[in-house]
Amino acid sequence: MAITLTDVAAERIRNFMASRGKGVGLRLGIKTTGCSGMAYVLEFADDIEDDDTVYEDHGLKVIVDAKSLLYLNGTELDYTREGLNEGFKFNNPNVKDTCGCGESFNI
Amino acid sequence: MALLQISEPGQSTAPHQHRLAVGIDLGTTHSLAATVRSGVPEVLPDAHGRYLLPSVVRYGAGGAPQVGHEAKDKAGADPLNTIASVKRFMGRGIDDIRKTVKKLPYEFVDSESAMPRIRTAAGDVSPVEVSTEILKVLKTRSEGSLGGELSGVVITVPAYFDDAQRQATRDAARLAGLNVLRLLNEPTAAAVAYGLDRGSEGVHAIYDLGGGTFDISILRFSRGVFEVLATAGDSALGGDDMDRVVAEWIMQQAGIGDDVGHGQLRRLQRIACDSKEQLTESDSVEIVADLETGGQWRGWLTRETFNALIEPLVRRSLLPCRRAMKDAGIGLDEIEDVVMVGGATRVPYVRTQVGNFFACDPLVDIDPDKVVAVGAAIQADVLVGNKPDDELLLLDVIPLSLGLETMGGLVEKIIPRNTPIPVAKAQEFTTYKDGQTAMQIHVVQGERDLVSDCRSLARFELRGVPAMNAGAAKVRVTFQVDADGLLSVSASEVASGVQSSVQVKPSYGLTDSEIAQMLRDSIDHAQDDMAVRALREQQVEADRSIETIESALAEDGDKLLDADERKAIDNALEALHAARIGSDHRAIKQAIAHLDTVSHVYATRRMNASIRKALTGHKVEDIDI
């Protein structure tokens, strides 16, 4: 299993990285907050830590720390548009249920 | 499933704590909103993909007002209820509007309050309320785009907006339910969009040629602050004028007379505008105009001809540029960049002419319609806390000096213009007359030396000052401007501790051209102001001398002076009275000095007499020295 990017997501990340002008890749993770247990982290990465796993997809480095990987393995990161809003979406096979707003989830 | 954006390392927010912020360019003809998404600033389009919202609001009888394109389309059919360019009326009194706008397009209601109201089918509305409707639409659009409630917004205003106009803008935002993080000067926003605030310190020119107005601002960036060195402009020059000259050219070529109908004129201007836009890319454009007689006229407009047509307009814009440079005291070689703002700066001829004038390549990479909103969005993103702490926080400055009135109608500046806020400054003042127990504090704003040339912001009184000799009381006046730009002034007498204060809610009533004029005048009239100040100061001094001597003479003049001495003093007094009326400050000064000299003996005798009186009946050993 790996972390993958959809074509659209890869394209957007590439653009965002280019205009930011620095960084080694994209960091995906989880943290334990929110109304339903855990929440996703989506950040630019400037460094790669020792316990990180690095995936290469569409020529981009996707970085996940060891603990988060337990919850994220098999996730596909997508970029979609819903009405006027647009942004990234985690298609995570590990998730059992999410809170109403979908910002946090449970395994 | 909520959609996520990429954050800076370590800046991920907890769920439901996303700090959404937008920058809003609340323009005279168009308004728009932008935000920073995953580190990239972008403007927010509406459901039809249009990002410019016409700043037009139509009030129909019953129902919510229409805003934007819908309202603009109805402008011709329903002119009295369709309010456009309301920004020109923001923060201004009805008298100012009547004075400056010759032909008012709307019916203004006479009302008690200083704030003008416009009569519409849906009732009377104020300019602030009209702006609120525009902001509400942008708020809804932003929240739809970002998927949540906005934490805060940055709204841009012209650099020459004074406190009243800024406050009116703030009020409009509050009514729309927006939290204003900061108002940002439009030229500053444009500079931020190009990242000039991250570059080296230096002087930048912002050339803003919009649809109907032209503004040039000279900014200096130093120590984290963009200082507005000078602004100038032409409130009746813009891209619309280019359309007009092209339309006139078509009429001339096609043999259409001046008596053409209104609808036909509008169509021709539409064609002219399209041609202008096409000539940005191509060297020539074919024009097809329907004639009222039924036929058609076809012709080619080359870029060369177009350039010749608009040449006088572009030249007109360079005049204020020259004036701004002169006002700022800046040489052409000191300008590092020219930022192009406003749709009309897409015209290649404008770019080359402005480039030639400032002897550098203008910055044109960012869409000139969006650049101000983009700068505001970047600033909003920093202010709302989505950036690491080390990002430079752009400070706001006071646009016009704040001060108070002193004797003689002179202004004592407490906080000079371009001071970064928040700021607090205090100064001590004293009483003018013996036994004075109250003091009036008159807060004014402006660059000139006379109160009558500045604008009055507030008046309040400090009462209960202990009666003392003139000049003995110490009154400390503190001016404080908070981060929101709100001014509070307090005065306290140091010995007794009595105090009084006021929060300045600026009274509406100054026109924007007047404000730009105020800045210009302060430079044009520097010499006059200096002379007037010198004169007023001597007049105040003369009044005090006269008052002192005359009250003394009334008391004991006959007792202590012989006829000749009395005559000499009376003559000197008369001479001073005469000089006081004149306008030669040196003559007044001499007359005061003369009065001092001839009354010297009298003053000594009065002193001795009062000591003698005090000592009468006391033994030497009783005197405690």
Side-chain angles (χ1 to χ4, degrees):
Chain A
M1 293 284 265
I3 309 274
T4 54
L5 306 173
T6 63
D7 294 346
V8 184
E11 169 81 33
R12 297 304 296 217
I13 295 164
R14 210 185 311 279
N15 288 344
F16 288 140
M17 297 271 300
S19 60
R20 185 169 179 262
K22 62 172 183 181
V24 295
L26 186 71
R27 176 176 295 281
L28 268 56
I30 57 104
K31 57 181 176 184
T32 49
T33 46
C35 51
S36 185
M38 274 164 269
Y40 293 112
V41 170
L42 186 63
E43 292 178 357
F44 294 109
D46 287 329
D47 302 295
I48 297 174
E49 307 295 334
D50 288 345
D51 66 344
D52 283 341
T53 305
V54 180
Y55 296 97
E56 287 259 355
D57 191 13
H58 290 76
L60 292 161
K61 281 195 172 64
V62 179
I63 301 154
V64 189
D65 68 279
K67 193 176 161 230
S68 296
L69 190 56
L70 291 173
Y71 300 95
L72 291 177
N73 211 350
T75 294
E76 178 195 58
L77 188 66
D78 192 12
Y79 191 89
T80 61
R81 179 184 288 274
E82 290 175 3
L84 286 172
N85 192 5
E86 52 184 290
F88 292 94
K89 189 170 173 176
F90 283 72
N91 294 325
N92 185 351
N94 305 299
V95 172
K96 287 210 186 73
D97 51 27
T98 60
C99 79
C101 65
E103 276 193 55
S104 51
F105 62 96
N106 226 325
I107 301 233
Chain B
M1 171 82 208
L3 299 178
L4 303 175
Q5 308 297 331
I6 311 174
S7 310
E8 283 294 304
Q11 300 289 314
S12 282
T13 49
H16 316 297
Q17 283 175 25
H18 284 300
R19 289 158 294 195
L20 303 177
V22 297
I24 294 176
D25 176 0
L26 186 60
T28 310
T29 43
H30 290 107
S31 299
L32 67 157
T35 192
V36 175
R37 244 202 267 248
S38 296
V40 179
E42 55 190 66
V43 296
L44 302 172
D46 65 6
H48 302 284
R50 301 173 296 201
Y51 58 87
L52 288 182
L53 175 74
S55 303
V56 183
V57 182
R58 176 168 174 260
Y59 289 88
Q66 292 176 312
V67 183
H69 295 280
E70 287 180 294
K72 194 182 171 189
D73 294 342
K74 305 271 171 54
D78 190 13
L80 282 181
N81 294 317
T82 311
I83 321 282
S85 303
V86 76
K87 191 174 175 181
R88 292 174 194 267
F89 307 137
M90 288 290 272
R92 289 168 48 173
I94 180 71
D95 294 341
D96 286 307
I97 295 174
R98 288 224 168 94
K99 245 183 281 167
T100 47
V101 185
K102 272 174 240 115
K103 229 174 77 188
L104 279 178
Y106 316 112
E107 205 177 325
F108 280 88
V109 184
D110 281 309
S111 68
E112 299 275 304
S113 83
M115 207 197 292
R117 299 186 74 81
I118 303 163
R119 181 163 293 153
T120 73
D124 300 345
V125 294
S126 71
V128 168
E129 286 161 357
V130 178
S131 300
T132 299
E133 293 304 329
I134 298 167
L135 288 170
K136 272 188 193 161
V137 171
L138 291 174
K139 179 180 188 244
T140 310
R141 185 195 289 186
S142 303
E143 294 188 336
S145 299
L146 300 176
E149 205 171 301
L150 297 180
S151 306
V153 297
V154 167
I155 301 178
T156 59
V157 291
Y160 54 75
F161 255 30
D162 78 334
D163 279 359
Q165 292 169 301
R166 283 164 201 262
Q167 190 58 47
T169 308
R170 240 174 233 288
D171 290 348
R174 213 191 48 240
L175 285 173
L178 292 167
N179 168 32
V180 181
L181 299 165
R182 181 162 296 177
L183 297 181
L184 189 63
N185 284 333
E186 284 160 11
T188 307
V192 169
Y194 277 102
L196 301 182
D197 55 325
R198 272 165 285 155
S200 53
E201 307 201 329
V203 181
H204 309 280
I206 318 294
Y207 182 99
D208 182 351
L209 189 61
T213 56
F214 169 67
D215 290 304
I216 177 82
S217 312
I218 310 290
L219 305 183
R220 176 192 280 136
F221 182 63
S222 68
R223 281 172 290 140
V225 179
F226 274 107
E227 183 186 348
V228 181
L229 294 181
T231 63
D234 189 329
S235 56
L237 175 67
D240 298 347
D241 295 292
M242 296 184 184
D243 299 346
R244 189 175 43 77
V245 295
V246 172
E248 280 167 8
W249 178 83
I250 298 172
M251 285 163 69
Q252 199 190 349
Q253 297 293 311
I256 301 171
D258 290 340
D259 53 350
V260 67
H262 196 75
Q264 169 79 344
L265 206 61
R266 218 168 237 231
R267 276 193 298 279
L268 283 172
Q269 274 180 353
R270 185 73 242 158
I271 295 170
C273 183
D274 290 344
S275 312
K276 172 187 75 178
E277 285 171 15
Q278 284 173 41
L279 283 170
T280 298
E281 298 298 329
S282 42
D283 289 331
S284 59
V285 57
E286 189 180 18
I287 294 171
V288 181
D290 292 324
L291 299 176
E292 277 182 328
T293 50
Q296 258 187 352
W297 177 83
R298 279 169 186 274
W300 285 85
L301 176 61
T302 62
R303 192 188 275 179
E304 210 173 309
T305 313
F306 174 69
N307 289 352
L309 288 173
I310 63 166
E311 192 270 341
L313 298 173
V314 179
R315 191 147 34 86
R316 237 172 83 195
S317 80
L318 296 178
L319 226 84
C321 292
R322 209 161 279 144
R323 196 168 60 220
M325 301 283 290
K326 187 170 155 279
D327 286 359
I330 290 289
L332 275 170
D333 52 330
E334 288 173 77
I335 298 280
E336 285 186 18
D337 300 292
V338 185
V339 177
M340 298 298 254
V341 184
T345 61
R346 285 202 191 86
V347 174
Y349 185 70
V350 173
R351 292 184 175 179
T352 52
Q353 290 303 300
V354 173
N356 288 346
F357 179 82
F358 288 104
C360 61
D361 283 336
L363 296 173
V364 295
D365 297 340
I366 304 177
D367 184 332
D369 279 331
K370 303 177 183 170
V371 63
V372 167
V374 162
I378 293 171
Q379 180 76 6
D381 192 46
V382 175
L383 285 172
V384 85
N386 285 336
K387 285 272 174 175
D389 293 340
D390 57 341
E391 284 277 333
L392 196 61
L393 241 191
L394 200 66
L395 296 167
D396 236 357
V397 297
I398 290 167
L400 292 168
S401 301
L402 294 164
L404 48 77
E405 176 174 357
T406 59
M407 287 304 296
L410 294 170
V411 178
E412 181 81 22
K413 282 177 195 155
I414 308 290
I415 302 180
R417 94 187 177 90
N418 281 325
T419 303
I421 57 173
V423 63
K425 284 198 177 167
Q427 196 161 322
E428 269 183 13
F429 292 88
T430 189
T431 47
Y432 174 78
K433 278 189 177 179
D434 288 346
Q436 183 178 340
T437 58
M439 200 181 239
Q440 186 168 78
I441 315 281
H442 182 195
V443 184
V444 296
Q445 184 170 32
E447 301 312 307
R448 301 289 300 277
D449 280 29
L450 291 186
V451 168
S452 51
D453 293 328
C454 290
R455 76 171 314 205
S456 168
L457 288 181
R459 282 172 196 273
F460 67 101
E461 278 187 357
L462 177 66
R463 295 194 163 277
V465 177
M468 287 185 244
N469 284 340
K474 278 187 184 161
V475 176
R476 196 172 169 78
V477 179
T478 309
F479 275 56
Q480 195 169 357
V481 182
D482 66 14
D484 283 335
L486 209 68
L487 169 70
S488 51
V489 180
S490 63
S492 65
E493 200 282 311
V494 176
S496 63
V498 293
Q499 60 176 342
S500 177
S501 67
V502 69
Q503 276 254 331
V504 175
K505 299 183 198 85
S507 49
Y508 296 100
L510 205 64
T511 69
D512 40 349
S513 59
E514 268 174 358
I515 294 147
Q517 191 67 40
M518 273 166 86
L519 272 174
R520 235 168 282 138
D521 283 353
S522 70
I523 293 148
D524 295 349
H525 294 279
Q527 288 283 336
D528 303 348
D529 276 7
M530 224 166 77
V532 174
R533 175 172 279 273
L535 177 63
R536 290 288 176 91
E537 278 172 357
Q538 289 307 327
Q539 284 173 342
V540 170
E541 197 58 35
D543 289 346
R544 195 161 54 191
S545 292
I546 292 168
E547 160 118 10
T548 313
I549 297 285
E550 281 181 347
S551 66
L553 285 176
E555 203 175 304
D556 53 16
D558 297 333
K559 254 192 291 179
L560 296 175
L561 296 168
D562 63 33
D564 282 352
E565 287 165 341
R566 177 65 194 250
K567 181 97 181 105
I569 292 176
D570 282 345
N571 284 344
L573 262 176
E574 204 174 308
L576 182 52
H577 271 298
R580 164 75 179 76
I581 301 162
S583 59
D584 183 355
H585 68 95
R586 284 185 203 83
I588 303 175
K589 195 172 175 172
Q590 274 173 10
I592 295 170
H594 181 60
L595 181 62
D596 272 355
T597 316
V598 297
S599 61
H600 183 72
V601 180
Y602 174 44
T604 316
R605 274 187 211 148
R606 289 198 81 210
M607 185 88 84
N608 291 341
S610 70
I611 291 172
R612 204 176 305 126
K613 194 171 146 202
L615 295 183
T616 307
H618 292 279
K619 294 191 178 119
V620 176
E621 50 266 34
D622 290 346
I623 310 295
D624 187 20
I625 295 171

